[in-house]
Structure formats: structure tokens, C-alpha cells
Amino acid sequence: MKIALAFSGGGYRASAFNLGTLTYLDKIKIDDTSLLNKVVAVSTVSGGTITGGRYAVGIKRGESVEDFYHALYNFFIDIDLISDIINHLSSDEGWNEKKVKSLINSFADLYDTYLFDHEKFGLLLNEDDPIHLKHIFFNATEFTTGLQFRFQISEKIYGLDTDPYDKGLIGNYYNNIPEALAKEIRMGDILVSSSCSP
């Protein structure tokens, strides 16, 4: 049995719903394992990326589902994100000439700190310690063409003449990111790219 999940947007409402879905799938057992362990693919956007991104990072770091649940639940309950973003924007700390002081960058910085503990996309691209998720898509839209832009991780695809992209395209046909560079992207930046931030 192989399961694929699609987590849509809708802010914290969508994130909380998706959190419930993951924890429910973890409680249903088939053949001495949970249905959650049968999930091989997840595709997310916006609020869905909050849950999907945090889950992927959590299991890659060896967290239990219960630990992941409490970390995300506590983020929803304990963090006053808007106040913290305003405070971050009001401060000069963490900003420099290479980083524009903006609402979007402030969101990214706080997601980076609160949700992902400064993890980068390279954690998920690393093939050591494989996880049950074999195909991960954090979806966004890029402004140049208005087309879908994917932060994608997939098992190696054999038999295709797409040598640099044999594990999936990071970006789209017109704009893509080499894997070596993609490894340095903060998960907080991916979440903000996927979200409908002002």
C-alpha cells in the first residue's frame, strides 16, 4: 500500500486540519505499522507547507509523531507571530545590507527560528537515514512566469535522460535551482515562498 497526501492552503486552519490528518493516520494500524508509515508522497502549498514541511523535517531528525505534534501544536498556541514579526521589523538586529528589511523576510526569519530550528532544505535532500516520504513537493508560484515552482525531493528516477534532475526538478522548466545551491535554502524561506504572505 502506498499513500499520497495533498495538503492545501488556508493558513493555520489548514495547518491544524493537516496536523489532525497526520496524527489520525499514525493511530490507524495495518500489518503492524501505521497508515502514516505507508505515506510515500506529500504535496503541499501555503498553510499545508507549515505542517508538511515541519513533519518532513521532524521525521528526518528522528522525532516521534508525538514530538512533532506537540512542537507544531505549541507553535500554534504559544507563538504570537504577528507581534513577533512587528517587533522583528522594528529592530535592527538580524538585518544587514544583504537582507532587505521586509514583512516577507521577517516571516521567513521567524519560521526559520520557531518552526524549523534553522534547518535547511539540504537536510531533506540528504539520502542518509531515509524516511518513509519518498516524494516531497513544497509548491509555490514564481513571479517571472506565474508558473508553479516546486521545491521537490524524489527518489532517483531511472531510465530518463534528465541527468541533472534525476531526483526531481527544483523550480520549474524556466527557472530552476541546482541541488548544491538548493541545499542551502532555509526551510523558513521555502515556507514563505509557498505561503500567500503580504
Side-chain angles (χ1 to χ4, degrees):
M1 178 186 294
K2 294 180 180 178
I3 299 172
L5 298 175
F7 288 163
S8 69
Y12 280 12
R13 177 199 55 79
S15 301
F17 180 87
N18 298 330
L19 179 59
T21 300
L22 290 174
T23 53
Y24 179 75
L25 289 173
D26 185 55
K27 297 202 181 311
I28 304 299
K29 307 292 185 200
I30 290 184
D31 300 328
D32 296 327
T33 190
S34 73
L35 275 183
L36 186 56
N37 285 326
K38 303 280 188 184
V39 174
V40 297
V42 64
S43 180
T44 72
V45 69
S46 196
T49 303
I50 293 173
T51 305
R54 182 59 182 81
Y55 177 69
V57 165
I59 61 170
K60 190 67 175 179
R61 292 191 302 208
E63 287 181 2
S64 67
V65 174
E66 185 176 349
D67 289 342
F68 151 72
Y69 173 86
H70 288 295
L72 191 54
Y73 179 85
N74 291 339
F75 169 77
F76 294 146
I77 299 300
D78 297 337
I79 303 298
D80 183 354
L81 195 61
I82 300 303
S83 293
D84 288 355
I85 285 170
I86 291 168
N87 290 335
H88 185 46
L89 280 169
S90 301
S91 169
D92 289 331
E93 188 176 333
W95 303 104
N96 57 45
E97 66 278 352
K98 293 181 180 179
K99 187 173 183 183
V100 175
K101 190 185 269 195
S102 71
L103 191 58
I104 290 174
N105 282 334
S106 190
F107 266 100
D109 286 349
L110 294 179
Y111 285 147
D112 179 56
T113 300
Y114 292 148
L115 274 179
F116 298 113
D117 195 28
H118 309 291
E119 289 290 358
K120 295 182 178 176
F121 196 49
L123 173 75
L124 299 177
L125 289 167
N126 186 334
E127 295 178 355
D128 296 340
D129 303 317
I131 58 177
H132 66 87
L133 296 176
K134 306 302 180 195
H135 309 281
I136 303 170
F137 308 92
F138 304 128
N139 296 288
T141 303
E142 54 95 356
F143 289 146
T144 307
T145 63
L147 297 175
Q148 178 185 20
F149 188 97
R150 288 186 306 258
F151 296 93
Q152 176 178 343
I153 302 159
S154 287
E155 282 186 322
K156 189 174 176 104
I157 302 167
Y158 294 98
L160 297 179
D161 294 329
T162 57
D163 188 51
Y165 310 114
D166 62 0
K167 294 191 316 182
L169 183 66
I170 301 170
N172 60 29
Y173 177 80
Y174 298 100
N175 297 291
N176 52 73
I177 302 171
E179 186 174 325
L181 182 59
K183 288 179 178 180
E184 298 304 314
I185 300 173
R186 299 183 310 172
M187 287 300 299
D189 290 309
I190 290 173
L191 173 52
V192 166
S193 298
S194 180
S195 300
C196 185
S197 298

